[in-house]
Amino acid sequence: MRIDILSVLPELLESPLQHSIMKRAQEKGFLEVHIHQLRQWAVNEYGQVDDYQYGGGAGMVMMCEPLAKAIESLSKERKPARPGDRGGYDEVIFLTPDGEMLNQKMANAISLKENLLIVCGHYKGIDERIREHFVTKEISIGDYVLSGGELAAAVLVDTIGRLIPGVLNDETSALTDSFQDNLLAPPVYTRPEDFRGWKVPEALMSGNHKLIDEWKYEQSLARTKERRPDLLKEKE
Ligand code: 6GU
């Protein structure tokens, strides 16, 4: 998968994507991330990309021209990969608190795409005409407001990046993650077996894999019932 990200603050995105599983995904060639400074397409020599809102109101709005030029210019570079492919991006994603809420199901679907462009907004958002004419998917990462889309973009790229086939191995497998079956993950333990008198549950020490799997499933179910009953309703 190739992901291009448009941002006025590329620095905010660099470090989160350069470590651990995201680092390995890129080194192994499963994921390519390119971060672009939107000011390259600024309307003047001062690097202006935002302006006052029509109708008044506090806060600046990101202008059409830099975003349209950036999206068009980056889209042109994405040549058709195979016959029948129309080229361009599979999705142009705008990160915004009024978008569709990100969840594991959505992440699974996006992880199967080839080319993504992620647009990070700032200030009061971006001119609505860009959303109407260029953006194909609008995503929020939760019901709270961030100063800009960069941290949300880092969350999205990490979430989908680790789901790309081949990125995770058996040890880091996504199959046992929370939310993968609309269930939270069970508790986990490592050495020692007894820490300050706090013992590892017996089932896990039994060596009986059937018993262990049953214990894990029961724990998952109990935890989900207690903490996220809404997930069990979705499961039905
Ligand atoms: Cl995607 N962007 C911003 N600025 N704030 C958010 C968000 C996104 N998702 C939740 N809050």
Side-chain angles (χ1 to χ4, degrees):
M1 176 186 287
R2 174 179 170 127
I3 302 179
D4 290 278
I5 307 178
L6 260 181
S7 162
V8 288
L9 277 173
E11 297 86 354
L12 257 183
L13 272 160
E14 274 153 18
S15 172
L17 303 177
Q18 276 169 12
H19 304 277
S20 177
I21 292 171
M22 287 306 102
K23 179 178 176 188
R24 218 179 51 219
Q26 290 172 82
E27 283 172 355
K28 283 187 171 173
F30 292 115
L31 175 64
E32 225 181 280
V33 183
H34 298 263
I35 306 171
H36 308 272
Q37 170 56 268
L38 178 67
R39 292 194 200 281
Q40 292 172 74
W41 292 276
V43 293
N44 57 31
E45 67 205 85
Y46 307 108
Q48 188 182 354
V49 295
D50 61 330
D51 209 335
Y52 296 100
Q53 298 186 36
Y54 279 123
M60 308 291 273
V61 172
M62 291 171 68
M63 304 167 80
C64 284
E65 188 184 317
L67 285 166
K69 281 187 171 162
I71 296 168
E72 282 170 342
S73 143
L74 293 171
S75 296
K76 249 187 241 148
E77 291 172 27
R78 304 269 55 76
K79 304 254 171 15
R82 55 188 76 82
D85 188 342
R86 64 194 154 72
Y89 290 100
D90 296 322
E91 299 281 1
V92 176
I93 298 173
F94 175 49
L95 290 164
T96 174
D98 62 4
E100 186 184 349
M101 189 94 75
L102 178 65
N103 59 27
Q104 199 65 32
K105 189 173 157 212
M106 200 195 299
N108 283 333
I110 300 173
S111 73
L112 303 173
K113 311 258 175 187
E114 299 271 343
N115 288 300
L116 301 178
L117 175 61
I118 300 177
V119 178
C120 301
H122 258 267
Y123 320 109
K124 279 290 150 191
I126 69 176
D127 192 298
E128 188 67 17
R129 290 167 289 186
I130 295 297
R131 298 172 67 162
E132 283 169 11
H133 298 285
F134 292 99
V135 170
T136 60
K137 206 171 190 53
E138 302 191 323
I139 299 177
S140 163
I141 65 162
D143 285 341
Y144 43 81
V145 177
L146 300 166
S147 314
E150 283 77 11
L151 296 180
V155 167
L156 179 66
V157 172
D158 185 295
T159 306
I160 59 187
R162 62 196 293 288
L163 296 172
I164 299 171
V167 169
L168 299 185
N169 50 35
D170 276 355
E171 299 209 341
T172 51
S173 169
L175 293 175
T176 55
D177 285 344
S178 277
F179 305 113
Q180 212 50 264
D181 306 310
N182 266 359
L183 283 179
L184 300 180
V188 292
Y189 300 85
T190 186
R191 291 192 300 171
E193 198 179 326
D194 183 333
F195 178 69
R196 301 183 180 170
W198 304 330
K199 298 203 174 57
V200 174
E202 257 171 48
L204 291 179
M205 309 304 297
S206 68
N208 177 338
H209 288 285
K210 185 163 170 281
L211 189 70
I212 292 172
D213 285 346
E214 279 167 10
W215 181 87
K216 285 185 175 175
Y217 180 72
E218 279 161 25
Q219 291 287 319
S220 278
L221 199 58
R223 191 162 271 204
T224 311
K225 265 185 197 156
E226 186 184 310
R227 302 182 181 187
R228 294 293 307 276
D230 56 302
L231 293 176
L232 294 174
K233 275 191 209 110
E234 264 175 59
K235 208 174 151 63
E236 280 157 12

